[in-house]
């Protein structure tokens, strides 16, 4: 079981994670924080579970995680405005790459739109959802699944998933790791909130395909033309340029990158 006291002793943030909702078992941390009334949600609240029974990734895919071995949690933010939220998603993914590179000798990267990889294997994923009260944004929920100590994966995932333990050969304290991770996220959130353009540069440098000529799959149809990936812009839209120097932008719902 996750040791909440150990986590709180290690936490060194100004506001993120000071309020923690911990559950041994939960269907989904995102779903739980969606169901709670706005008055019960504080800015920076964290919901964590040891055993997420119905974890969700992007496009309603299941997120598989062995009980008690990984980190499955959601942070509730109250930014006030529903702007540049995909930049926030990628900022949290960038925080995950920093966590990985501080704790292992491996380099990490971000796969558009919200996955974190070591090599070609996924180690973490980010799912951002919004809750509105009428026309006003009530909260932003950033759900994160991060493989920490899991060393066995289903047959269909073995070639596509990894963990810190597999990459480093040692087990990790999930309590200390989460405290460090939340500190990195708080820093990235502050940079995002301040419209820090250096944050975009940092994210883009971790984005697979950045600065390269790639192909695009748009709404399931792969284009034959190649485009140079310029990264994300200040609104979080993917930006590319073609051989005729025409710049195009896309939202993450529309597009897949083909870098092979």
């Amino acid at each position: 079981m996750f040791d909440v006291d150990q986590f709180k002793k290690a936490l060194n943030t100004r506001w993120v994670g000071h309020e923690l909702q911990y559950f041994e078992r939960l269907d989904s941390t995102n779903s739980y924080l969606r169901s709670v009334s706005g008055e019960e949600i504080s800015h920076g609240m964290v919901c964590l579970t040891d055993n997420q029974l119905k974890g969700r990734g992007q496009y309603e895919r299941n997120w598989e995680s062995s009980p008690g071995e990984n980190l499955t949690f959601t942070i509730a933010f109250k930014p006030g405005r529903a702007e540049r939220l995909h930049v926030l998603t990628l900022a949290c993914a960038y925080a995950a790459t920093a966590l990985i590179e501080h704790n292992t000798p491996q380099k990490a990267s971000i796969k558009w739109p919200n996955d974190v990889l070591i090599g070609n294997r996924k180690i973490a994923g980010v799912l951002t959802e919004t809750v509105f009260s009428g026309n006003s944004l009530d909260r932003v929920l950033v759900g994160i699944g991060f493989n920490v100590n899991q060393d066995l994966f289903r047959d269909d995932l073995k070639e596509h998933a990894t963990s810190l333990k597999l990459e480093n050969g040692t087990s990790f304290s999930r309590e200390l790791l989460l405290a460090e991770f939340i500190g990195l996220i708080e820093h990235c959130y502050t940079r995002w909130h301040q419209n820090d353009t250096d944050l975009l540069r940092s994210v883009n440098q971790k984005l697979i395909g950045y600065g390269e000529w790639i192909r695009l799959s748009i709404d399931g149809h792969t284009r034959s033309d190649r485009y140079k990936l310029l990264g994300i812009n200040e609104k979080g839209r993917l930006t590319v340029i073609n051989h005729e120097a025409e710049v195009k932008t896309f939202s993450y719902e529309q597009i897949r990158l083909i870098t092979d």
Side-chain angles (χ1 to χ4, degrees), residues 21-123:
Q21 297 282 338
Y22 167 70
F23 299 90
E24 289 185 38
R25 294 160 57 91
L26 199 65
D27 281 349
S28 162
T29 55
N30 265 36
S31 296
Y32 174 79
L33 288 182
R34 286 181 66 89
S35 69
V36 177
S37 68
E39 292 76 16
E40 298 177 70
I41 298 288
S42 62
H43 186 46
M45 176 187 284
V46 174
C47 177
L48 170 79
T49 185
D50 268 331
N51 187 5
Q52 186 161 247
L53 304 175
K54 297 179 181 179
R56 291 177 290 121
Q58 195 69 33
Y59 313 115
E60 295 300 321
R61 295 170 182 154
N62 290 335
W63 176 266
E64 298 291 339
S65 179
S66 292
E69 294 186 343
N70 303 317
L71 291 173
T72 49
F73 65 99
T74 298
I75 304 177
F77 294 115
K78 293 195 170 187
R81 294 183 294 178
E83 298 174 357
R84 302 181 301 111
L85 295 183
H86 193 55
V87 178
L88 177 58
T89 299
L90 290 167
C92 292
Y94 173 74
T97 68
L99 183 74
I100 292 163
E101 292 177 1
H102 182 251
N103 287 280
T104 77
Q106 307 298 334
K107 293 295 183 182
S109 57
I110 300 171
K111 180 181 178 182
W112 176 267
N114 59 353
D115 289 341
V116 179
L117 276 62
I118 295 178
N120 61 355
R121 295 187 177 190
K122 182 174 177 178
I123 190 170

Side-chain angles (χ1 to χ4, degrees), residues 159 212 238 244 257:
E159 300 300 317
E212 300 175 6
L238 199 72
E244 288 73 42
L257 307 186

Side-chain angles (χ1 to χ4, degrees), residues 120-158:
N120 61 355
R121 295 187 177 190
K122 182 174 177 178
I123 190 170
V126 184
L127 177 67
T128 299
E129 298 181 303
T130 54
V131 178
F132 284 82
S133 177
N135 293 324
S136 300
L137 179 67
D138 182 76
R139 74 202 82 153
V140 177
L141 305 176
V142 179
I144 299 175
F146 192 98
N147 295 334
V148 179
N149 291 323
Q150 186 168 344
D151 52 12
L152 294 174
F153 292 92
R154 294 193 325 243
D155 287 344
D156 59 323
L157 294 178
K158 285 180 180 178

Side-chain angles (χ1 to χ4, degrees), residues 81 84 190-199 234:
R81 294 183 294 178
R84 302 181 301 111
T190 300
R191 295 175 68 188
W192 171 80
H193 188 69
Q194 295 172 346
N195 290 309
D196 183 354
T197 54
D198 284 338
L199 177 62
E234 66 281 358

Side-chain angles (χ1 to χ4, degrees), residues 200-213:
L200 291 178
R201 296 190 187 99
S202 298
V203 169
N204 282 331
Q205 289 170 0
K206 286 295 182 184
L207 194 61
I208 294 174
Y210 176 61
E212 300 175 6
W213 290 93

